Every structure is written in structure tokens, then in C-alpha cells.
């Protein structure tokens, strides 16, 4: 969980500061070893299946905008289930829109944001939803640690993320990319890696 920590040897490194090969949207540029939000959302070339451990670091540039306008981005697990990224250091906004919120559903347990121009870490354990016969039989869930502080403890998603709307689960592909939100703010990212988590087989 250290900032600038090296990826484990079994991790899939998505961004190490040198190239955007793992990403689709080349309007996002590398500046001083960081990937900066460009035009429209970003997504990984690779699709991921099942549960994941994800590490990423982000850094908010100077901004005096308020509420959701201040350094807004987000990580969408399976391209659908958002973990909010927002500059909430001395910036008040609605609770389920804060940094580390399951956007529109569940506020974070605490606000662990650091000031602008500081590298911050997200360590995420993602549990993918399970569908059977056209219905969700196990909802998606996320555990989120921000700068070493627990914000979400295996919190279930009520539904795929929406803005000011209720929604329902609909079956989708078991493999999906990670998406990063463009909300018009030049948030910086670095040191992004993923581990596909193999579950042990249940005992007979
Ligand atoms: Mg967002």
C-alpha cells in the first residue's frame, strides 16, 4: 500500500509510466510519467474476468472548483460499477458522491483525501457479480482502501452505477474492461496494476 509501490511479480501491469499500450484512448497523454485524463473515458484493451485486486495511484492538480467539479474522475469495474474518484480535501459534496463512494449508492466510511499535488493510492478488492438464468444470484461488491484507510468493506452494489436514477442488474459478459471516467478534469494516474484472483476450489 505504499505510494510508488512496485507491482507484485504476478500482477498485470497496466501503466508503469512509460506507455499507453494497455489503454484504448490515446487522447489521454503521458506527462512526467503520469497518465492524464483526456477527451472521453479511458478503458483497458484487456478484459478481465472474475474477482480482481487492483492498485492505482492518482494525483489532483490545483483546482478551486467546488463539489463534483473539483477533480472528478472514477474507476468503473467491469465498465459499469463505479468507485468515485473526487478531490474531497476541504471540498464538501453530497455523501454518496465523495471520494471512495459507490457513486449514488453508498458513501465512504471516512474521508481519507490528501491535498492537491499529492500522490494517493487506491487498493481495491473487486468481487464480480454472478448471473444465472438471466438473474443476478450474487451482487457485485467492493472493498476499497484509500491511502491505507478502509472506505468500503465488501460493500455490495445495489445495481450498476447510474446518475440520480434507480437501476437493476442485467446479465452481462463475464469479461469486461476497466474504465476510467473523463469528467473534464485533468486528473493524473500512475502505477496501475491488476491481479486476477483465483478462488480456491470448494472442499468436497
Ligand atoms: Mg466520477
Amino acid at each position: 500500500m505504499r505510494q510508488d509501490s512496485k507491482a507484485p511479480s504476478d500482477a498485470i501491469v497496466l501503466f508503469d509510466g512509460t506507455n499507453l499500450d494497455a489503454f484504448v484512448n490515446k487522447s489521454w497523454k503521458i506527462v512526467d510519467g503520469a497518465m492524464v485524463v483526456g477527451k472521453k473515458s479511458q478503458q483497458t484493451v484487456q478484459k478481465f474476468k472474475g474477482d480482481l485486486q487492483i492498485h492505482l495511484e492518482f494525483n489532483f492538480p490545483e483546482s478551486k472548483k467546488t463539489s463534483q467539479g473539483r477533480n472528478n474522475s472514477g474507476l468503473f469495474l467491469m465498465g459499469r460499477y463505479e468507485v468515485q474518484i473526487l478531490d474531497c480535501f476541504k471540498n464538501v459534496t453530497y455523501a454518496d458522491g465523495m471520494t471512495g463512494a459507490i457513486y449514488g449508492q453508498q458513501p465512504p466510511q471516512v474521508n481519507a483525501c490528501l491535498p492537491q499535488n499529492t500522490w494517493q493510492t487506491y487498493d481495491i478488492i473487486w468481487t464480480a457479480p454472478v448471473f444465472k438464468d438471466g438473474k443476478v444470484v450474487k451482487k457485485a461488491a467492493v472493498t476499497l482502501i484509500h491511502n491505507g484507510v478502509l472506505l468500503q468493506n465488501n460493500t455490495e452494489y445495489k445495481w450498476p452505477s447510474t446518475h440520480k436514477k434507480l437501476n437493476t442488474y442485467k446479465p452481462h459478459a463475464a469479461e469486461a474492461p476497466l474504465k476510467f471516467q473523463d469528467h473534464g478534469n485533468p486528473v493524473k494516474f500512475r502505477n496501475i496494476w491488476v491481479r486476477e484472483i483465483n478462488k480456491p476450489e470448494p472442499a468436497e
Side-chain angles (χ1 to χ4, degrees), residues 37-103:
V37 173
K39 290 194 181 78
K40 300 201 173 156
S41 66
Q42 180 62 284
Q43 71 179 61
T44 56
V45 173
Q46 188 171 346
K47 294 175 178 174
F48 300 96
K49 188 176 183 180
D51 302 343
L52 302 174
Q53 177 183 356
I54 302 160
H55 175 91
L56 62 92
E57 298 172 21
F58 51 86
N59 187 316
F60 299 126
E62 199 169 308
S63 170
K64 295 198 183 344
K65 292 180 182 165
T66 58
S67 188
Q68 295 289 304
R70 187 178 295 181
N71 289 316
N72 193 336
S73 183
L75 175 69
F76 285 78
L77 290 314
M78 300 193 90
R80 294 170 177 83
Y81 305 90
E82 186 180 12
V83 170
Q84 173 70 310
I85 294 172
L86 184 76
D87 179 1
C88 283
F89 187 82
K90 298 184 179 175
N91 176 33
V92 175
T93 191
Y94 47 87
D96 61 7
M98 289 172 67
T99 315
I102 293 182
Y103 185 83

